[in-house]
Amino acid sequence: MSKPGQERPPLARSIRRAIGQAVESFSLILPHDRILLGLSGGKDSILLALGLRELQRRSAGPFRLQACFVDSHGEDSVPPSLQDFAASLGIPLITRSYPIFPILKEREEAHPCSLCAHLRRGILASCAQETGNNVLALGHHLDDALETTLLNLCHAGRFRCFSPHMTMSRSGIRVIRPLVFLEESAVAAEVARLGYIPSAPPCPFGMEGRRGAMKRLLKELETSIPEIKGNLLHALQTHPLPDGWGTPSGASRRRSAP
């Protein structure tokens, strides 16, 4: 997970500031929350774990932190490097095994990302309930939010996105996304700078489906409209939608992405 013998430097101030802004703007973490974070071993969940652990050290309001790894192959296998990573941060690691990938292949899902995300979120929420946690933290970043917005615009005719802070109706588990103000490139750069090597098992579906198409579309749009991410974020923050975005308290209405 990290380079041998390398002492980990602190998180960059810009990363801490973006996470702190999201936490404050959307009231993501309350004193005495019991947070379960989804830890896949990918760059997003690595930075999520690092950011929440750092926030836990600095926060005046105490909260508990645990992690859960979902083995999507259903083989009940956890990468040893991921176990070492969680142990190095002092975060207890829970594991759950469910054959998500075999199910998607058997069903020949045309758009596997949506069902995969739904199944994983359900498994993590159930794990949170079983282990006495009231909050589920997911590693979705700004690019994820904007790709979801484009998906809804292009395929559903709606200007909608997932919420940075929501409550699941069936379980009552609060779902938070502390990385929502960070671009994917910033996440990748920071994880590399800190010397961590992502260890998430590769997705057998890769960039297939609508989600991959939206990722490519966003990159293409950015080449001709460099401010596209900032403009979409501005629209999410100011458009009257029931998705929990609104205009974040204490945050500016900048048209440039954070």
Side-chain angles (χ1 to χ4, degrees):
M1 180 67 69
S2 60
K3 296 176 182 178
Q6 182 183 41
E7 183 177 349
R8 178 172 62 87
L11 282 173
R13 181 177 299 178
S14 59
I15 299 296
R16 296 200 309 268
R17 184 169 58 246
I19 294 174
Q21 181 187 5
V23 170
E24 180 181 359
S25 297
F26 303 114
S27 301
L28 300 187
I29 300 176
L30 305 176
H32 306 293
D33 270 342
R34 302 175 303 282
I35 302 175
L36 180 74
L37 67 94
L39 185 62
S40 68
K43 66 183 187 310
D44 307 331
S45 69
I46 289 174
L47 192 65
L48 176 65
L50 293 169
L52 289 179
R53 188 69 180 95
E54 181 71 17
L55 194 63
Q56 189 182 43
R57 292 191 184 101
R58 295 170 176 265
S59 177
F63 61 89
R64 190 180 77 177
L65 196 56
Q66 291 182 303
C68 180
F69 170 77
V70 177
D71 176 15
S72 299
H73 292 279
E75 299 172 352
D76 200 21
S77 176
V78 185
S81 58
L82 192 61
Q83 294 176 320
D84 294 341
F85 171 71
S88 71
L89 294 180
I91 301 177
L93 179 63
I94 306 161
T95 62
R96 291 291 185 271
S97 180
Y98 195 83
I100 296 176
F101 292 157
I103 288 173
L104 295 177
K105 286 185 177 180
E106 182 178 349
R107 292 178 53 161
E108 298 182 346
E109 285 289 322
H111 310 294
C113 293
S114 179
L115 180 56
C116 179
H118 178 75
L119 290 173
R120 286 178 57 84
R121 189 165 58 249
I123 293 166
L124 289 169
S126 296
C127 181
Q129 280 187 304
E130 294 166 5
T131 53
N133 292 288
N134 68 312
V135 179
L136 171 61
L138 301 177
H140 296 125
H141 45 63
L142 179 61
D143 289 55
D144 290 323
L146 301 185
E147 289 159 16
T148 298
T149 302
L150 290 175
L151 272 171
N152 281 316
L153 277 172
C154 296
H155 295 285
R158 300 179 301 173
F159 186 70
R160 294 294 302 273
C161 183
F162 56 67
S163 173
H165 191 177
M166 59 165 286
T167 300
M168 302 180 76
S169 57
R170 291 185 179 181
S171 63
I173 298 294
R174 287 172 31 229
V175 177
I176 64 173
R177 296 174 167 95
L179 305 186
V180 77
F181 283 150
L182 284 167
E183 293 187 25
E184 183 175 17
S185 59
V187 172
E190 180 66 358
V191 169
R193 184 187 73 84
L194 294 174
Y196 288 101
I197 303 171
S199 64
C203 172
F205 301 98
M207 291 286 287
E208 296 178 17
R210 293 174 176 175
R211 171 69 62 173
M214 292 302 104
K215 183 179 287 291
R216 292 189 291 271
L217 174 60
L218 185 59
K219 288 184 177 180
E220 291 174 8
L221 288 171
E222 195 174 17
T223 60
S224 56
I225 312 173
E227 67 274 17
I228 185 67
K229 290 183 181 179
N231 288 341
L232 285 172
L233 175 60
H234 176 79
L236 282 173
Q237 292 177 347
T238 57
H239 198 280
L241 295 174
D243 58 9
W245 280 83
T247 300
S249 59
S252 67
R253 295 191 178 192
R254 294 177 302 175
R255 297 188 67 85
S256 60

